[in-house]
Amino acid sequence: MVKVSQILDELNAKLVCGNTDLNQDINFGFASDLMSDVLTIDSDNLLLVTGLNNLQTIRTSEMSDIPYILFVRDKKASEEMKRLAEESGITLIECGYSMFRACSLLCKMGLEPVY
């Protein structure tokens, strides 16, 4: 289990919208740029790590009940993405690290993989 505040600190990341309670715990992580793979995940309290920054990512996360998205590779959420995420109760985080580096650090911090 990892706190949002830990993710922000360890990944030099920025919370761009959503739940501002930095003490929230996240149990699991999953990394993918393929939203079809994301749709197969059935897990509560999940952080999606992705470099795909478009509206489909937000919609897929909403359909899959994913409350947190971490955009890697310095990808930025558009205003439209932020608005949709806010409406859907999804927290968006951005960082400049590669997906591999971000996932390595998240595992080291104690975030559990879905499988």
Side-chain angles (χ1 to χ4, degrees), residues 6 18 29 38 48 64 85 93 106 115:
Q6 291 175 276
V38 174
L48 171 62
S64 299
I93 303 169
L106 290 166
Y115 60 85

Side-chain angles (χ1 to χ4, degrees), residues 102-113:
C103 289
S104 295
L105 290 169
L106 290 166
C107 283
K108 190 176 179 181
M109 293 165 55
L111 192 66
E112 294 290 328

Side-chain angles (χ1 to χ4, degrees), residues 72-115:
V72 294
R73 300 191 305 263
D74 228 4
K75 301 295 182 174
K76 306 293 184 204
S78 68
E79 290 304 316
E80 191 175 8
M81 289 170 62
K82 291 176 192 176
R83 188 171 41 255
L84 183 59
E86 287 278 357
E87 290 171 6
S88 304
I90 297 171
T91 299
L92 302 183
I93 303 169
E94 298 171 345
C95 84
Y97 293 166
S98 69
M99 186 181 292
F100 182 81
R101 184 174 182 190
C103 289
S104 295
L105 290 169
L106 290 166
C107 283
K108 190 176 179 181
M109 293 165 55
L111 192 66
E112 294 290 328
V114 173
Y115 60 85

Side-chain angles (χ1 to χ4, degrees), residues 14-76:
K14 176 183 172 188
L15 186 123
V16 294
C17 77
N19 190 340
T20 57
D21 180 1
L22 302 183
N23 287 317
Q24 290 288 320
D25 290 317
I26 302 174
N27 298 330
F28 299 101
F30 183 76
S32 183
D33 287 342
L34 293 172
M35 293 301 106
S36 58
D37 286 351
V38 174
L39 287 170
T40 67
I41 300 304
D42 184 21
S43 180
D44 290 332
N45 204 17
L46 177 76
L47 171 71
L48 171 62
V49 181
T50 187
L52 188 63
N53 63 329
N54 60 33
L55 288 172
Q56 192 61 37
T57 303
I58 309 299
R59 289 189 183 106
T60 301
S61 296
E62 179 184 23
M63 288 172 32
S64 299
D65 294 322
I66 296 173
Y68 301 96
I69 302 173
L70 171 65
F71 292 108
V72 294
R73 300 191 305 263
D74 228 4
K75 301 295 182 174
K76 306 293 184 204

